[in-house]
Amino acid sequence: MTTKRQQLPTWTQPGGWEVRWSKYAPKYNLIEDKIFAAHVKRADVDPVDTLERGGQTHSADTPDTLTSRHWGLPNSSIFARSGRPSNNEKGKYGGFNLTRDDCRAVATGEPLHGLYGDQFGEGSHWLWLTSPQTRWYYERIRERMKEMNRPDVKIFGTYGALEFYIIRNWDGLPTDSKYRQYYASQAAARQSCGYFKANLQEVMGGNVSWYPYAFDYAQDYYMRAHSMEIMRLGMGKDGMDAFCPLFLWGQIEANGLDFIHNGHHWERDLPNGLGRIRTARHPNADYDAVLAQAFANGFVRGSGVISWDEGTRFGSDPNTATNFWSEWQGRNGARLPFRNPHFPDSPASWHDACCVASLWYQSCERTAGKKWNYLRYRVNNGPWIEPARDGATILEHATANHYYEDGGRLQLMGRGDTMGRFNGNAYDWFYYNPGIGKHQSETVTVELNGKRFTQEVQGKTLCVCNETA
Amino acid sequence: MKKSKFSRRALLVALASVSGWLLLTPRRPQSQGNASGSGQGPAQTPTHAAKPGSGRGPGGSTANTVMLTNSNVFNPQVTWVNGRAKITNAAKPNIPAGNRIGFLFDGGPQMYLDQLPDISFPPYTQINIYTVISPNPVNRSVTYTDKADCIITLGAGPV
């Protein structure tokens, strides 16, 4: 028996500010038609050269001539071409008054991105995902795919739309029937959200988004895992044929009604000693949390990962800085060293975590095409934890170890999540427990096709193993 | 494409998030432990101190690195004791009357109130510490008085 446990590649620097995958990751074609879509985030790379680097299938930065390898996210403002007034004009909601012909004309004028989503929830003519206008638009896009012989185009719809089944907070315990009921069948899963009730699976795929909305995002892992399982179960046979990637942003957006970037200033001393730059940007999600979300909920449970961000391409000189939302504290009268491109204005290495997830998924190529199954496992020689018979294993993992604080507030802790698959003598499995701290670790034994494998796994840290047994 | 700081979608999601949180009332009274109210929680499946090699490897880093916001709120000091790193806060943040300070490690779920916990980490661990100051730090729906994010990436430690 041989074991290969995945380790971070040396090109990634989790403690660094720069995005490195687009320059340093190896090139390969991702297995199983999974997608890894990203922004290159560096000014010193050719976006075309970044294709297949880290398995990247679609880039936001490639030119229009490479439409099939481009991923696009048009804003609802494209509907201004119809001549209808914007939703912002008093008393007028032009977006909702768009006719079928309007929507078809606008769709006809858009490039056919290889990976196609939208931001129709934002912009001048914002629309609901379930509006007839959105459907008319995508019906025309699908017609054009046939006309132009472009079966490669993958549609994931409005990113993070509220009409997709995306759980952002548990209401009660995760094992409550309100969540569990959707595992019963495809028909049951299709009762979960507006997307299915509007039969939008007829014209588009979907997405599950993960933008952390608060500092306490550990339970987000289970929520998005459950969301992805129900979305894919509702979409296709066994949930395996449906297109539903994880749409991920590795920074933290808001805390309830408090926009959480307010009052945050990333601080960086320039290596040349000329001063300190303070930049108002969002706080970051943990690198390991991003890696686990991308691997388990993007590549294993979903159709892949879209690593989203705004499109700035950064320079690599750490003695440069941005002047946007920045405060410069120069020494001896030194002036703000603004350059364009400039060094990242907040730590951007979380992008690399998405690529590492791709790389670790690729390490499972010997078992490509086999279905991932929940595994029975034990921790520290404790009792065996069995997968749920109704498919709702992730809900039981999420609910484990919960308690009520003084005052009755529910605190969900959770336990480890593990899945695996095999092909002949090749066995691949992962384990991740967001419910304990990184100061702790567990001795984990999993059982896969009658074989047992054991690893010591740090809390909140993804473990991926490729075994030969 | 610039990310909108005050997008309509973000506001809708934030509202959904808050309303979801407010609905998060306990439905089943079978407490599984006696919580202290300070986020320490019940005894879980037994775990042990994280061992060297139990993580995902060092990546490209060999020395400790720190990236942070608002060093007036949280400014870490790393001390190695018996091959493990302990973290203390060298900053002296202003905590207004009626406020408390809370610390979340790597997304929680435990929040440690009033002081950092007595815990330590093996080499090559990355620790993301969120600090919040608020009248009620554990409540997601409040606006914080102050906050900070600190990412510490441990290197190999003393040889």
Side-chain angles (χ1 to χ4, degrees):
Chain A
M1 182 186 303
T2 59
T3 299
K4 181 180 182 184
R5 179 168 170 170
Q6 290 300 314
Q7 302 281 297
L8 291 184
T10 54
W11 56 258
T12 186
Q13 293 182 351
W17 291 70
E18 289 188 279
V19 174
R20 294 175 60 83
W21 74 266
S22 56
K23 187 168 185 175
Y24 300 105
K27 291 189 175 185
Y28 53 87
N29 291 308
L30 254 174
I31 56 176
E32 299 171 346
D33 205 27
K34 301 280 182 179
I35 62 139
F36 170 44
H39 295 264
V40 300
K41 301 298 290 182
R42 294 183 69 105
D44 61 355
V45 296
D46 174 359
V48 176
D49 177 68
T50 70
L51 291 170
E52 298 175 6
R53 202 171 284 286
Q56 185 189 217
T57 55
H58 302 84
S59 170
D61 301 299
T62 47
D64 287 346
T65 50
L66 273 175
T67 306
S68 64
R69 303 304 296 272
H70 189 268
W71 69 278
L73 207 60
N75 183 287
S76 76
S77 301
I78 62 173
F79 291 105
R81 296 204 300 264
S82 68
R84 304 280 176 186
S86 82
N87 290 356
N88 302 325
E89 289 186 36
K90 190 175 181 181
K92 297 178 179 176
Y93 290 91
F96 298 107
N97 289 322
L98 290 163
T99 65
R100 183 168 180 267
D101 286 346
D102 289 336
C103 296
R104 291 175 64 83
V106 171
T108 301
E110 284 292 299
L112 273 185
H113 310 289
L115 180 61
Y116 210 116
D118 69 73
Q119 301 183 84
F120 290 170
E122 298 183 29
S124 62
H125 292 64
W126 60 267
L127 298 164
W128 301 114
L129 178 70
T130 49
S131 67
Q133 285 80 11
T134 301
R135 187 184 187 98
W136 291 331
Y137 178 89
Y138 280 108
E139 282 176 348
R140 179 61 189 136
I141 292 293
R142 291 181 68 90
E143 286 175 12
R144 292 183 62 216
M145 287 167 57
K146 289 182 180 175
E147 291 168 6
M148 300 173 72
N149 192 25
R150 288 287 307 281
D152 61 291
V153 175
K154 301 173 187 292
I155 301 174
F156 62 89
T158 304
Y159 81 97
L162 297 174
E163 299 96 327
F164 290 125
Y165 186 68
I166 306 172
I167 298 299
R168 296 180 170 90
N169 274 300
W170 301 115
D171 176 14
L173 292 175
T175 45
D176 280 354
S177 61
K178 70 172 66 174
Y179 304 112
R180 194 158 203 150
Q181 63 180 325
Y182 300 132
Y183 286 95
S185 64
Q186 183 183 63
R190 289 188 174 182
Q191 295 303 308
S192 63
C193 60
Y195 165 82
F196 290 119
K197 291 174 182 174
N199 286 318
L200 283 173
Q201 73 278 3
E202 295 172 354
V203 293
M204 66 170 79
N207 66 87
V208 169
S209 68
W210 182 53
Y211 287 30
Y213 291 108
F215 287 135
D216 52 338
Y217 49 77
Q219 272 280 327
D220 289 4
Y221 174 83
Y222 305 105
M223 295 179 199
R224 298 315 192 273
H226 167 62
S227 303
M228 187 63 82
E229 288 177 349
I230 298 304
M231 281 295 297
R232 298 197 79 196
L233 176 61
M235 293 169 88
K237 289 183 294 185
D238 288 329
M240 294 299 288
D241 296 332
F243 183 67
C244 190
L246 183 73
F247 193 95
L248 186 156
W249 187 55
Q251 295 187 284
I252 303 172
E253 181 143 4
N255 180 64
L257 293 176
D258 179 16
F259 282 88
I260 210 163
H261 56 278
N262 291 342
H264 265 285
H265 293 87
W266 287 101
E267 301 176 1
R268 187 171 63 83
D269 291 316
L270 270 59
N272 61 14
L274 290 184
R276 168 179 291 191
I277 186 77
R278 298 180 77 243
T279 311
R281 300 293 285 171
H282 292 259
N284 274 31
D286 178 50
Y287 184 102
D288 293 298
V290 174
L291 173 53
Q293 282 272 8
F295 180 88
N297 296 336
F299 290 109
V300 173
R301 292 186 173 91
S303 305
V305 172
I306 301 171
S307 176
W308 184 73
D309 203 351
E310 47 84 25
T312 304
R313 294 172 64 183
F314 295 113
S316 56
D317 180 355
N319 289 314
T320 60
T322 180
N323 60 0
F324 189 57
W325 285 330
S326 294
E327 174 190 319
W328 168 246
Q329 298 172 344
R331 296 192 179 95
N332 302 319
R335 300 181 65 180
L336 169 67
F338 171 69
R339 299 284 186 281
N340 200 6
H342 54 77
F343 204 63
D345 47 16
S346 64
S349 49
W350 64 266
H351 285 274
D352 289 348
C354 296
C355 181
V356 173
S358 161
L359 198 63
W360 287 12
Y361 195 75
Q362 192 74 4
S363 78
C364 304
E365 64 181 327
R366 296 177 308 162
T367 59
K370 301 296 184 183
K371 187 178 178 183
W372 292 90
N373 291 302
Y374 283 99
L375 306 182
R376 70 190 300 255
Y377 73 99
R378 64 194 303 189
V379 174
N380 303 335
N381 292 320
W384 285 93
I385 296 168
E386 305 289 343
R389 291 182 178 175
D390 64 353
T393 305
I394 197 67
L395 298 181
E396 296 190 350
H397 290 340
T399 305
N401 299 308
H402 74 279
Y403 64 97
Y404 294 91
E405 293 187 326
D406 294 344
R409 182 175 177 273
L410 174 63
Q411 178 68 284
L412 292 164
M413 303 301 288
R415 70 183 176 203
D417 174 38
T418 179
M419 300 180 88
R421 65 184 186 183
F422 69 97
N423 183 18
N425 66 351
Y427 293 75
D428 297 318
W429 61 278
F430 76 86
Y431 181 86
Y432 176 66
N433 186 354
I436 62 172
K438 291 185 184 177
H439 60 291
Q440 299 167 294
S441 65
E442 302 168 308
T443 305
V444 178
T445 300
V446 303
E447 190 171 287
L448 174 55
N449 189 38
K451 309 282 187 184
R452 292 184 179 178
F453 308 105
T454 298
Q455 287 287 329
E456 186 75 14
V457 184
Q458 190 173 17
K460 289 185 169 61
T461 304
L462 178 67
C463 171
V464 174
C465 288
N466 315 119
E467 316 267 5
T468 303
Chain B
M1 180 176 62
K2 272 285 180 189
K3 180 168 175 53
S4 167
K5 280 199 153 193
F6 298 99
S7 67
R8 191 185 67 85
R9 189 198 63 80
L11 186 59
L12 283 170
V13 171
L15 284 167
S17 180
V18 172
S19 59
W21 187 256
L22 294 175
L23 287 169
L24 210 158
T25 48
R27 297 293 175 86
R28 299 179 185 177
Q30 81 285 21
S31 175
Q32 292 191 352
N34 181 25
S36 64
S38 62
Q40 301 303 310
Q44 290 194 60
T45 306
T47 57
H48 35 253
K51 298 176 181 176
S54 62
R56 76 295 192 256
S61 60
T62 54
N64 299 342
T65 63
V66 174
M67 302 180 289
L68 52 70
T69 68
N70 300 3
S71 57
N72 59 312
V73 175
F74 191 88
N75 192 4
Q77 282 193 333
V78 177
T79 307
W80 290 94
V81 179
N82 297 326
R84 300 179 66 83
K86 292 182 67 73
I87 296 160
T88 53
N89 185 10
K92 304 293 183 191
N94 176 42
I95 305 174
N99 280 238
R100 299 176 77 177
I101 190 168
F103 304 95
L104 268 162
F105 285 66
D106 309 302
Q110 296 112 314
M111 177 173 279
Y112 299 95
L113 290 175
D114 302 324
Q115 60 185 358
L116 285 163
D118 183 19
I119 56 179
S120 59
F121 301 88
Y124 301 124
T125 302
Q126 184 172 86
I127 310 132
N128 205 324
I129 301 175
Y130 305 106
T131 306
V132 294
I133 298 172
S134 159
N136 184 5
V138 300
N139 186 350
R140 269 208 221 185
S141 63
V142 300
T143 297
Y144 299 132
T145 305
D146 218 333
K147 51 202 167 188
D149 181 6
C150 176
I151 304 171
I152 305 160
T153 308
L154 300 175
V159 178

